[in-house]
Amino acid sequence: PHGAQLTSLPFMPRCGSVIEVMPYGYDWNNYFGTLAAMSGVNHSFIYLGEDIAAETALFTTPVQHKERRSVLLCAPAHAMAETVRIQVDRWQECCGFAL
């Protein structure tokens, strides 16, 4: 999810997790990351580019931002697997589980 779907973060269970997939040239990771942290939810994101700051600077107009949001997203399997592993570790730590 992204955008309006993530406004439901405060209603997720404590220690829940959300993973955002960010398209090339689009950087909103701090916006929902902060809301997640304030809500007791673990947040991670996968950026589909190489350099988030430099690539985001290339797209400055509202039209360009809209174009960035309308692309199809497909995170690499290895990146998704690693992010899920990190979220599971965070969940176990948050809930006090030790394996």
Side-chain angles (χ1 to χ4, degrees):
H2 186 72
Q5 296 101 343
L6 291 177
T7 60
S8 62
L9 282 169
F11 303 102
M12 289 181 65
R14 185 179 169 282
C15 299
S17 295
V18 64
I19 299 171
E20 271 187 282
V21 179
M22 309 296 282
Y24 172 86
Y26 196 75
D27 180 14
W28 279 82
N29 61 306
N30 291 330
Y31 188 80
F32 289 108
T34 301
L35 180 60
M38 292 174 64
S39 303
V41 174
N42 295 307
H43 174 268
S44 290
F45 72 95
I46 298 171
Y47 179 64
L48 299 181
E50 297 293 324
D51 183 340
I52 195 167
E55 293 162 355
T56 301
L58 299 173
F59 304 99
T60 57
T61 70
V63 171
Q64 290 171 323
H65 283 280
K66 185 177 180 181
E67 289 170 355
R68 294 291 87 214
R69 290 192 317 262
S70 64
V71 298
L72 295 176
L73 303 178
C74 185
H78 71 278
M80 186 60 78
E82 176 62 13
T83 305
V84 169
R85 186 197 61 76
I86 290 168
Q87 289 291 22
V88 169
D89 290 347
R90 289 178 180 170
W91 174 77
Q92 289 173 338
E93 182 180 318
C94 182
C95 294
F97 295 137
L99 295 178

